[in-house]
Amino acid sequence: MSTDTQKPSSYSADIITLRESDQLVAYTDAVKFMENRVLEIATQGKAEMIWFLQHPPLYTAGTSANAADLVDPKKFEVYKTGRGGQYTYHGPGQRVVYVMLDLKKRGRDVRALVCALEDWIIETLAEFGIKGERRKGRVGVWVEKPDGSEAKIAALGIRIRKWVSFHGISINLNPDLSHFGGIVPCGISEHGVTSFKDMGLGTIMEELDVALQRHFEKRFGPLVAE
């Protein structure tokens, strides 16, 4: 990983391992891996980790999911998950980053973690000329489209076990946005979803990954490839 001379924020800690998967990862396999890693971090002092991956098309139901928001339960496989939030979609063209961080080293402050993850997304989007914003009462990162409407470009949902985080963020680069039609994303029906491609950008995944990793290091600490 590149070394940035900018001093990381006070939220940074030790070196963090970077895991990257080129092939689509089954959701159940990803959850099993995260649960094992979280246990190792919490009980064995294993290094923290972030994991860049993509999933095949699927829906996940967070702890606040409303069954009525599953509009088409037969469209894709639906997985119940212990992360916060409601229904969301994962699929090709969407960058998922799972974040396994030891909050015992980071102040045991879940709200601070969520804010830091949102800031990380917003700072990364800004590098591509996208103004990402928070919205009161809505989870994730939002943008204003050229027609003046608002849409969600990035989702966030985490779970904490033994003061170690898992699950994480997803950013829509160029997924098939029609796949969101089987759910009410995050329980918000009055606003849609968007992507880099939908916003008129031809950014490729490698470019997004470089920016994500650079801004992650500034905020959380140095990365070392697995």
Side-chain angles (χ1 to χ4, degrees), residues 27 30-31 34 49-53 55 60 90 96-100 166-169:
Y27 188 74
V31 171
M34 285 191 288
M49 172 181 281
I50 63 170
W51 184 8
F52 282 61
L53 69 155
H55 288 302
T60 64
H90 292 311
V96 173
V97 187
Y98 289 136
V99 180
M100 290 153 271
F166 59 121
H167 298 282
I169 71 166

Side-chain angles (χ1 to χ4, degrees), residues 32-146:
K32 183 178 180 180
F33 177 90
M34 285 191 288
E35 289 179 339
N36 289 337
R37 185 66 178 222
V38 164
L39 183 61
E40 291 174 339
I41 293 170
T43 64
Q44 301 174 26
K46 193 87 170 183
E48 297 171 298
M49 172 181 281
I50 63 170
W51 184 8
F52 282 61
L53 69 155
Q54 295 179 72
H55 288 302
L58 58 92
Y59 297 131
T60 64
T63 54
S64 302
N66 182 339
D69 290 337
L70 183 58
V71 178
D72 186 355
K74 296 182 179 180
K75 191 174 182 69
F76 297 120
E77 190 101 24
V78 181
Y79 297 89
K80 291 185 179 180
T81 178
R83 62 155 177 81
Q86 304 187 46
Y87 283 103
T88 194
Y89 166 78
H90 292 311
Q94 182 188 72
R95 172 51 77 211
V96 173
V97 187
Y98 289 136
V99 180
M100 290 153 271
L101 298 178
D102 188 350
L103 299 192
K104 295 189 297 295
K105 300 177 179 179
R106 300 172 183 271
R108 299 176 187 256
D109 190 333
V110 178
R111 182 179 295 274
L113 173 62
V114 171
C115 288
L117 293 175
E118 290 173 337
D119 286 340
W120 170 36
I121 295 169
I122 290 168
E123 290 162 3
T124 300
L125 294 177
E127 187 163 321
F128 299 95
I130 299 174
K131 185 180 180 181
E133 298 177 303
R134 296 179 175 89
R135 288 290 184 266
K136 187 175 180 179
R138 302 187 219 156
V139 179
V141 175
W142 297 77
V143 298
E144 183 175 322
K145 298 181 68 175

